[in-house]
Amino acid sequence: MDRSFTLTRAAGLARLATVTPRLGRTYAAERNGDPGSDAETSTTALSPYLRRRLITEAEVVTAARETHGGAAEKFVSEVFWRTYFKGYLETHPTTWTDYLRLVAEGEARLAANSGLRRTYENAIEGRTGIEGFDDWARELVEVGWLHNHTRMWFASIWIFTLRLPWELGAAFFLRHLLDGDPASNTLSWRWVAGLHTRGKHYLARAENIRRYTDGRYDPDGLDEQAKPLTEDDVARLEPLPSPDPTPAGKVALLLHLDDLHPESLPLERATVIRVGGLVAHVPGADERVRAADIVAMEDALARASTHFGCPSEMISPGWSDSLPVISAWAPVGPSAEALPTGVLRVRRAWDEAAWPHATRGFFKLRSAIPEILRTVGRQGD
Ligand SMILES: Cc1cc2nc3c(=O)[nH]c(=O)nc-3n(C[C@H](O)[C@H](O)[C@H](O)COP(=O)(O)OP(=O)(O)OC[C@H]3O[C@@H](n4cnc5c(N)ncnc54)[C@H](O)[C@@H]3O)c2cc1C
């Protein structure tokens, strides 16, 4: 498949149109296999678009359900994993700040401990000698995307065979993934480690890797008996912060990288007079990710200008406007940290309906999916 990922809405919609015919039984039957980066992937590779909401979760779920009916259930539930992780981080925000602290501490340990540093450098440069793992490390850096099952194997080998700190692996992913997301990435690494669902970890097994890579990889020496990681401090559940009411009348609209489909934002009686685009990359983002962020933002600003019939421009932190400024809700992460104070944050019906169910395990949210889908519009507005 073409993994060049042009991050515009038009490219996201084109990709959605290409994959929609297989979002029913084919997706459910084949999604666990990773055929390798030269072949068409068994999943959709829509994540870089969904991550920035160049296309919305509601749009891809609607396309799948309208084409496949109940046979789209597996795909729909996978999309809700993204929503679940976003909602979980909103209600457990210290998981993100603890992660940032752990990365800083981990980097200091790398500088001080040459043995640890050697293992780490061999891992990120694909020189461990572990079949599969080394190719995946290079693929991540070269392509900026990995299949879900491969992400699980990679994270598990990193934590349980190489015995490297999970947070440094998560930071390596976040630097290079074109879909790098504070919620999905941090919480997936914690899930593999056994810290998210406490005591339940994911162990990569050679037999499973052989089977789902069609025999391309048969790694030796994996620790298939390791125990889950543990931690003393557990992030506390915090109340979901409320969105702000949308003012009536003239406003400036602020776009950020967590929601680049301003056309479907629930702006009610607000009239958008100008649009600003604030780019806050994920920590450590590499050149390719930064360039993709800029392309995505420029695309959204151009669409916003046409849609609202007003000027739009990139802005820098510290920007202010004489009009009330509104933005889509920025979930926990760099956009939220960069938003100027006083910005009014509106929340899409999708998040508003789903996040209250994302406070514990995924299954609470999964059982609410039919009810959530009844309440949201086709674009999650
Ligand atoms: C260690 C690890 C790190 C990860 N880091 C990220 C990350 O930074 N950003 C990210 O978007 N996903 C992350 N994931 C989740 C998942 O691997 C990717 O969303 C998925 O591989 C994207 O490929 P796709 O678009 O082909 O998925 P599809 O299977 O086609 O699914 C469609 C969409 O549903 C969502 N989705 C599917 N599965 C998951 C899942 N398990 N968790 C969350 N959302 C899901 C994604 O938005 C995806 O684009 C991570 C998983 C692991 C195990």
Side-chain angles (χ1 to χ4, degrees), residues 21 279 293 367:
V279 172
D293 285 342
S367 55

Side-chain angles (χ1 to χ4, degrees), residues 27 43-47 50 75 78-79 81-82 85 145-148 151-152 155 173 177 179-181 184-185 188-189:
Y27 175 87
T43 58
T44 65
L46 284 171
S47 50
L50 286 164
F75 176 72
E78 289 304 309
V79 175
W81 269 101
R82 170 180 157 75
F85 284 140
W145 190 85
L146 290 175
H147 185 278
N148 178 57
R151 296 184 198 205
M152 291 160 63
F173 266 32
L177 279 173
D179 61 29
D181 182 82
S184 289
N185 191 56
S188 294
W189 275 85

Side-chain angles (χ1 to χ4, degrees), residues 52-251:
R52 297 170 181 80
R53 277 194 169 152
L54 286 163
I55 55 176
T56 67
E57 294 88 338
E59 283 177 306
V60 301
V61 162
T62 302
R65 292 173 82 225
E66 287 184 352
T67 309
H68 301 283
E73 193 183 338
K74 186 68 200 166
F75 176 72
V76 172
S77 119
E78 289 304 309
V79 175
F80 270 95
W81 269 101
R82 170 180 157 75
T83 303
Y84 165 69
F85 284 140
K86 296 307 278 184
Y88 189 90
L89 203 62
E90 286 306 284
T91 50
H92 299 78
T94 58
T95 312
W96 173 245
T97 42
D98 286 349
Y99 157 76
L100 294 174
R101 179 180 48 77
L102 286 172
V103 173
E105 289 170 7
E107 282 167 354
R109 267 192 292 152
L110 284 181
N113 179 334
S114 58
L116 179 67
R117 189 166 66 245
R118 205 168 319 114
T119 310
Y120 171 79
E121 283 171 356
N122 285 340
I124 64 171
E125 288 165 17
R127 288 189 278 106
T128 64
I130 300 174
E131 229 182 86
F133 185 94
D134 288 347
D135 282 358
W136 300 326
R138 283 191 291 267
E139 191 179 331
L140 172 65
V141 174
E142 283 161 21
V143 180
W145 190 85
L146 290 175
H147 185 278
N148 178 57
H149 216 163
T150 299
R151 296 184 198 205
M152 291 160 63
W153 296 323
F154 186 97
S156 180
I157 294 170
W158 177 285
I159 297 167
F160 298 116
T161 297
L162 297 172
R163 299 266 156 199
L164 283 164
W166 72 267
E167 60 276 7
L168 292 181
F172 175 50
F173 266 32
L174 204 57
R175 283 201 295 279
H176 298 288
L177 279 173
L178 283 163
D179 61 29
D181 182 82
S184 289
N185 191 56
T186 313
L187 295 169
S188 294
W189 275 85
R190 289 178 56 80
W191 176 84
V192 169
L195 297 170
H196 182 70
T197 314
R198 296 185 91 197
K200 279 178 118 182
H201 56 332
Y202 175 78
L203 280 179
R205 299 186 193 281
E207 187 280 323
N208 184 265
I209 295 175
R210 213 164 41 237
R211 171 144 49 110
Y212 288 107
T213 58
D214 221 4
R216 285 198 323 286
Y217 299 118
D218 189 7
D220 275 335
L222 302 190
D223 187 341
E224 301 191 10
Q225 311 295 329
K227 298 271 178 286
L229 301 191
T230 56
E231 63 189 354
D232 296 334
D233 294 332
V234 181
R236 276 215 318 273
L237 172 67
E238 294 183 20
L240 191 59
S242 300
D244 297 307
T246 318
K250 292 179 181 176
V251 297

